[in-house]
Amino acid sequence: MADTLSTTQQPRDEAVGSGGAGSNRPRRGLRRRIGASWLGLVPFFAYILVFFLVPIGFILYNAFLKKVTSASTVRDPVTQQFVHTTTTSFGGSNIAESLKGVYRTSLINTLQLSAVVAIVGAVFGILLAYAVVNSRSELLKQVVTSASAVTANFGGIPLAFLFIATVGNAGVVTTFLNDHIGFSLQSDLHFQLATITGISLVYMYFLVPLMVLVMTPALEGLKPQWAEAAENLGASRWHYWRFVAGPVLLPNFLGSVLLLFCSSFSAYATANALAGQSFPLVPTQIASVLSGNVLSGQENLGAALALDMIVVVLPLTVIYQLLQRRTSRWLS
Amino acid sequence: MSATVEQVAQPDATPQPAVAQRARRRPARGTVLRWVILILAGIYFVGPLIAAFSFTVQDHVHGGISFSAYRQIFATPATGQIGFTTALVYSLELSAITIVITLALMLPTQLLLHLRVPRARGIVETLTLLPLVFPPVVLVVGVSDAFTWVGDNKGGLSSFVTYIRGGGHPLVLALLYVTLAMPFVFRTIDAGIRSIDARTLVEAARGLGAGWLTVLFRVLMPPLRTAIVNAAFLCFALVMGEYTISSILLYTKPFPVWLYQLPTTSGQVQAAVSVFSLLLVEVLLLMIGALNWRRGTQKRG
């Protein structure tokens, strides 16, 4: 096991190029010792296998497994109870079901929501990161970085309640505007938290900081010499951004858009607390299926919906990784 | 590709010059725009906190200000309900277990990757990134399916599954959180190991006759302290906020699930707990940030 792995990994290691290991390949005498070292990685591989790969395997299997339980009219001769026969068959019927009706709506909603928040969040995020990077106050930088780290992880239930208390139907801002200005967020602006606008507004709260976190190193990597060189060659500010900084940042920016898209695509807690089932999204539908809100025989719909999500997220993550690799050519 | 390899091979060549450059930078342009952005961001990020706080201290009955919502957080819960402290302690325990398992698993693995089997790095890193592709709401489907399968087949596995799902301390949550934390923990520890010259340290210590345990705990751990603290904090933040898996697997005690299920009429207590928990995490993270910052400046000076 250890030996096969070490030989199959050889080409891959050169591609990743860790610590210049490609150049001093282990000599034949060291081979046994290296083989023993591979044993030390067994706990990690076993852990990932049991607590990650096995569950994912169940999804891939169950998504195509259709269970049909038929209550037949035959009684068991001993217990006199009706015999339920469960037949299973393989096929795409779960997948087909997961792309119909409310599940179709939820998929479209989720894709729309994620696209909107990814693009808007990325634009606001890079502006904020730019403002912070170019500030000369070390304190501001430190506070924004730390606060971004907190708020980027601050999804979930508390965030939803924060916004319900602020701009919800009985929120502070809502009632203040209503009482003092006679302006209603609900009837004048048609603003509701349980809509795509409302959920987008709340998602920005953790997506913009995420963008700041991933773009700050990239913006700091823009060398002042590049701007000076461009200026000495007669470039305007616009030329600098269009032909120097823009192209250098673009892969990173696009990658970050994908990162924001994926993280809003798979967010569940905030959406559930804000909208529940009133604005169907794929994650909330999955939770609803798992809690048993399905017809008999559709138990594996959850796996099919999960597979739908994987099909969306997997290619985006691969592109993200490729873009990150391209980024590291100029910025590190 | 060659550029990537070169940069990966020399991890510590870049960070320091940035300081020198910053000092020489000309006065920043677009100052007005910067301030507009910063002020808008300030309103958006601080505003809801202030608004939610003022929401929690409104006294609807008498008018004016009342802190009764905050008193209610710590009030003795009705029979059959879980109290604030129970939920908080439960989540703290979960995060402690998660941190211990994560570090016990990832530190030796990653040290081994750097010192002995660098060619395994690619596959290990790829595996740790998987949780980004299969988010919690997807993973929980698989876990739930696996539980159903084990339940149907009643093999020797079912006692194992019953144990990790056990009532007192559902180990299964911690075990799953470890995988969720891996993408972040891997990078944090990796950066830590790269910033020290692990190979030289180990060779020097071994040459002076240190045993492997001494090398691990007295030579490698001290310089990796910052990375370990950061990794632990990432786990902590993840566990304290995790709602998806615990709620779908029907665990009611973890803090976010408890918060969502709070029976209230006005929502004031929920908002109060939200503000309180955010401030708690924020203060903790700022403390850790300050720790790192101070260490960073000491190194520079």
Side-chain angles (χ1 to χ4, degrees):
Chain A
M1 162 82 182
D3 268 340
T4 31
L5 272 176
S6 63
T7 44
T8 49
Q9 278 314 304
Q10 200 163 326
R12 187 188 194 107
D13 175 58
E14 283 175 2
V16 175
S18 37
S23 51
N24 57 358
R25 203 152 289 165
R27 277 151 285 152
R28 201 159 275 280
L30 282 172
R31 219 186 165 80
R32 184 179 293 273
R33 218 171 60 128
I34 299 287
S37 299
W38 273 89
L39 282 179
L41 297 180
V42 166
F44 172 80
F45 287 122
Y47 196 96
I48 286 281
L49 180 72
V50 173
F51 295 106
F52 204 86
L53 296 180
V54 166
I56 298 302
F58 267 101
I59 294 177
L60 301 183
Y61 178 74
N62 280 357
F64 297 101
L65 184 72
K66 181 83 174 170
K67 278 185 195 166
V68 182
T69 310
S70 51
S72 66
T73 47
V74 184
R75 283 176 191 271
D76 187 295
V78 183
T79 59
Q80 289 299 309
Q81 289 187 333
F82 286 113
V83 179
H84 292 271
T85 47
T86 307
T87 50
T88 54
S89 61
F90 269 101
S93 61
N94 291 325
I95 306 286
E97 197 64 40
S98 76
L99 298 172
K100 282 185 199 155
V102 67
Y103 303 113
R104 185 191 172 84
T105 317
S106 69
L107 186 61
I108 294 172
N109 282 346
T110 316
L111 288 171
Q112 274 180 346
L113 171 74
S114 307
V116 169
V117 295
I119 292 168
V120 179
V123 170
F124 281 120
I126 198 172
L127 284 175
L128 182 57
Y130 179 75
V132 172
V133 167
N134 283 305
S135 146
R136 268 161 300 162
S137 158
E138 277 296 319
L139 182 69
L140 178 74
K141 277 181 201 171
Q142 191 57 34
V143 167
V144 172
T145 314
S146 301
S148 296
V150 182
T151 34
N153 290 306
F154 178 64
I157 306 301
L159 177 62
F161 286 146
L162 217 60
F163 272 86
I164 290 173
T166 309
V167 288
N169 285 335
V172 173
V173 174
T174 316
T175 44
F176 179 85
L177 290 177
N178 225 349
D179 296 349
H180 293 84
I181 310 177
F183 180 81
S184 163
L185 285 178
Q186 272 71 31
S187 52
D188 293 335
L189 264 186
H190 301 290
F191 178 83
Q192 286 286 346
L193 277 175
T195 58
I196 190 167
T197 329
I199 297 178
S200 304
L201 179 77
V202 180
Y203 275 19
M204 290 300 158
Y205 203 85
F206 61 91
L207 291 177
V208 171
L210 182 60
M211 188 71 185
V212 171
L213 283 184
V214 292
M215 285 310 291
T216 303
L219 288 169
E220 279 177 343
L222 288 179
K223 297 194 172 61
Q225 289 90 328
W226 296 346
E228 286 157 10
E231 201 169 328
N232 289 342
L233 292 169
S236 69
R237 193 98 179 123
W238 158 250
H239 283 124
Y240 168 68
W241 282 105
R242 169 67 185 80
F243 295 108
V244 181
V248 167
L249 289 176
L250 190 66
N252 204 315
F253 181 78
L254 291 180
S256 308
V257 171
L258 294 182
L259 184 69
L260 299 199
F261 183 93
C262 290
S263 79
S264 84
F265 192 78
S266 49
Y268 163 70
T270 316
N272 185 49
L274 285 175
Q277 297 296 314
S278 66
F279 186 75
L281 294 168
V282 180
T284 51
Q285 291 304 314
I286 288 180
S288 151
V289 169
L290 287 192
S291 60
N293 293 330
V294 277
L295 301 171
S296 164
Q298 292 193 341
E299 289 83 359
N300 282 340
L301 206 53
L305 287 167
L307 186 60
D308 293 347
M309 290 189 72
I310 294 172
V311 168
V312 173
V313 175
L314 184 65
L316 295 183
T317 316
V318 172
I319 299 173
Y320 170 68
Q321 288 299 328
L322 293 177
L323 285 169
Q324 287 297 93
R325 200 162 293 172
R326 193 180 156 76
T327 304
S328 60
R329 188 176 297 180
W330 289 103
L331 307 162
S332 57
Chain B
M1 197 62 229
S2 60
T4 320
V5 173
E6 197 180 333
Q7 281 175 349
V8 171
Q10 306 173 343
D12 46 3
T14 37
Q16 292 310 321
V19 183
Q21 286 164 7
R22 204 168 295 147
R24 284 195 272 116
R25 185 173 291 176
R26 66 190 58 234
R29 282 183 260 191
T31 316
V32 179
L33 181 69
R34 278 201 303 117
W35 279 107
V36 170
I37 295 168
L38 287 175
I39 289 168
L40 282 179
I43 293 172
Y44 176 69
F45 286 104
V46 183
L49 278 174
I50 296 170
F53 180 74
S54 71
F55 179 77
T56 59
V57 295
Q58 279 171 355
D59 192 332
H60 291 297
V61 186
H62 309 98
I65 287 175
S66 148
F67 285 93
S68 70
Y70 288 88
R71 276 198 296 277
Q72 278 181 52
I73 296 178
F74 302 99
T76 325
T79 33
Q81 307 283 348
I82 305 162
F84 171 79
T85 34
T86 317
L88 190 67
V89 167
Y90 188 87
S91 275
L92 288 174
E93 281 173 2
L94 262 184
S95 56
I97 301 172
T98 309
I99 290 169
V100 169
I101 300 178
T102 304
L103 292 178
L105 188 68
M106 295 311 286
L107 259 184
T109 302
Q110 291 191 254
L111 282 170
L112 211 58
L113 284 184
H114 277 268
L115 298 172
R116 284 294 187 79
V117 275
R119 61 177 53 194
R121 206 191 121 85
I123 184 152
V124 170
E125 188 174 14
T126 309
L127 285 174
T128 59
L129 287 176
L130 284 179
L132 293 182
V133 187
F134 305 97
V137 74
V138 166
L139 180 62
V140 75
V141 175
V143 171
S144 152
D145 284 354
F147 285 167
T148 316
W149 183 83
V150 169
D152 287 349
N153 288 275
K154 304 236 189 307
L157 275 176
S158 65
S159 57
F160 170 70
V161 168
T162 317
Y163 177 71
I164 61 172
R165 295 179 78 178
H169 48 84
L171 212 51
V172 64
L173 289 181
L175 292 169
L176 292 173
Y177 294 163
V178 170
T179 61
L180 295 190
M182 265 182 199
F184 316 107
V185 169
F186 183 89
R187 273 182 242 173
T188 311
I189 295 182
D190 197 55
I193 299 180
R194 274 159 186 262
S195 69
I196 63 173
D197 191 353
R199 196 179 287 269
T200 311
L201 284 180
V202 170
E203 275 166 10
R206 294 286 288 163
L208 292 169
W212 272 111
L213 283 178
T214 315
V215 170
L216 185 60
F217 285 99
R218 298 188 55 191
V219 177
L220 290 173
M221 295 279 252
L224 287 176
R225 194 173 42 202
T226 316
I228 292 171
V229 170
N230 283 341
F233 192 82
L234 283 168
C235 291
F236 171 76
L238 186 138
V239 177
M240 292 310 283
E242 210 288 327
Y243 172 78
T244 311
I245 291 183
S246 45
S247 73
I248 293 181
L249 291 181
L250 302 177
Y251 291 104
T252 51
K253 278 184 181 174
F255 183 71
V257 187
W258 168 82
L259 170 59
Y260 183 62
Q261 289 177 340
L262 265 186
T264 52
T265 44
S266 67
Q268 269 187 321
V269 179
Q270 288 165 324
V273 177
S274 302
V275 173
F276 187 77
S277 65
L278 177 65
L279 288 181
L280 198 74
V281 177
E282 186 116 15
V283 165
L284 271 170
L285 214 139
L286 284 176
M287 271 162 54
I288 298 210
L291 197 79
N292 286 344
W293 193 39
R294 218 182 53 210
R295 291 173 57 85
T297 46
Q298 274 170 1
K299 216 191 286 175
R300 274 179 219 162

